[in-house]
Amino acid sequence: MENNRRDFIKKTAALALGTIAATSAGNKALAATQFLEKEIIVPEGGKFSLPKLSYEYDALEPHIDKLTMEIHYSKHHQAYVTNLNKAFETLDAKTAATLSDLDDIFANVDKLPPAIRNNAGGHYNHTFFWRVMKPKAGGIPTGKLAEAISASFGSFDSFKKEFTDVALKRFGSGWAWLVVNKGKLSIGSTANQDNPLMKLDSVEIKGKPVIALDVWEHAYYLKNQNKRADYIFSFWNVVDWEAAGQIYEMAK
Ligand code: MN
């Protein structure tokens, strides 16, 4: 009885994160796809699509403003999807046939045109970012992720300090990440739309993302102008630690 209930809770949590879809995408070890719906990460009929946001544009107010969310999602993210699809069409049939999802793209990114690298990264990174935020969130992680953060960084506060520092120091446009790699947590940043799943020497942090923060100016300029530090401070109020914890459990 107790086991059945636990299984049900597990399955429900998995459904909420879209892991069922990932399972149906195939049996290989999926990294990018482990918590995203199949239609987002697999080009159905040759097309990637914009994922649905699970909250309204104004839901993260006052921390992240409505106009920024609207433009960021409906213009910026949409452009990455549109341009990824365009770039995908330019690939020869033999190459395209070897790329069945974002994981394949990230694993072979050094052999693909820059437009694929930039736009596949943009599509994945934003999808991930939307999923690790939610309204009335923030606070502190719990469970296994909380234990791992304390073990790796000393305390949650020192983790926050290190992540904030890395996000501040990323020169120009890019992303800050908390990743897990073979059970070990680490913090790092990537340039432009690169991410820790990409097999590239220039990507210094490797692993499966647990949380992500977009530090492109388009993510904060309307509200915070040049003050990236204020935006990072706001981000801590909308991090969905519950989702991050589930992602960590699947990824570690
Ligand atoms: Mn962005």
Side-chain angles (χ1 to χ4, degrees):
M1 194 69 177
E2 189 51 29
N3 274 347
N4 282 343
R5 197 173 158 263
R6 211 171 282 151
D7 279 355
F8 173 75
I9 291 167
K10 248 190 195 163
K11 274 181 196 150
T12 312
L15 261 175
L17 288 164
T19 49
I20 297 294
T23 309
S24 69
N27 293 322
K28 64 179 184 170
L30 298 167
T33 58
Q34 64 187 335
F35 74 105
L36 301 175
E37 290 80 358
K38 185 169 168 255
E39 61 269 26
I40 298 165
I41 46 78
V42 176
E44 282 288 322
K47 297 282 179 201
F48 289 93
S49 59
L50 192 65
K52 285 207 169 65
L53 266 189
S54 63
Y55 39 82
E56 301 296 320
Y57 293 140
D58 63 358
L60 304 181
E61 293 257 14
H63 312 293
I64 297 181
D65 62 291
K66 182 185 177 186
L67 186 60
T68 296
M69 280 302 296
E70 182 171 357
I71 294 173
H72 202 173
Y73 172 80
S74 71
K75 306 290 184 200
H76 290 279
H77 190 170
Q78 179 64 64
Y80 294 118
V81 172
T82 304
N83 292 328
L84 174 59
N85 287 331
K86 276 188 199 155
F88 216 75
E89 280 171 21
T90 69
L91 294 174
D92 63 84
K94 203 174 148 222
T95 306
T98 65
L99 307 170
S100 61
D101 54 40
L102 287 176
D103 282 304
D104 289 336
I105 290 178
F106 297 150
N108 296 287
V109 74
D110 57 332
K111 303 177 220 49
L112 296 169
I116 299 268
R117 169 181 172 175
N118 294 333
N119 292 297
H123 176 40
Y124 172 80
N125 298 352
H126 287 87
T127 302
F128 191 89
F129 184 46
W130 311 136
R131 294 299 172 89
V132 291
M133 295 191 291
K134 72 174 179 188
K136 300 185 184 71
I140 56 168
T142 56
K144 292 266 187 327
L145 178 56
E147 287 167 27
I149 285 177
S150 290
S152 304
F153 307 104
S155 67
F156 179 64
D157 282 346
S158 35
F159 153 76
K160 252 170 89 170
K161 195 174 173 297
E162 193 179 322
F163 187 97
T164 299
D165 206 43
V166 163
L168 270 174
K169 283 187 180 147
R170 164 49 53 189
F171 184 75
S173 297
W175 291 77
W177 305 91
L178 171 67
V179 305
V180 59
N181 195 350
K182 298 186 181 83
K184 204 181 168 311
L185 285 177
S186 58
I187 293 168
S189 73
T190 54
N192 303 313
Q193 294 297 353
D194 288 349
N195 68 48
L197 295 167
M198 290 183 177
K199 287 212 174 72
L200 289 170
D201 290 342
S202 59
V203 172
E204 287 166 18
I205 181 166
K206 296 284 199 293
K208 296 176 186 174
V210 177
I211 68 166
L213 176 62
D214 188 343
V215 295
W216 283 56
E217 280 189 346
H218 71 225
Y220 60 89
Y221 203 85
L222 291 174
K223 180 169 192 279
N224 304 110
Q225 293 80 48
N226 59 321
K227 298 182 283 289
R228 189 187 284 182
D230 290 358
Y231 161 71
I232 301 167
F233 183 82
S234 296
F235 171 65
W236 296 119
N237 295 309
V238 293
V239 178
D240 183 352
W241 285 114
E242 201 186 335
Q246 289 171 341
I247 291 164
Y248 171 73
E249 296 262 3
M250 285 186 267
K252 76 185 164 79

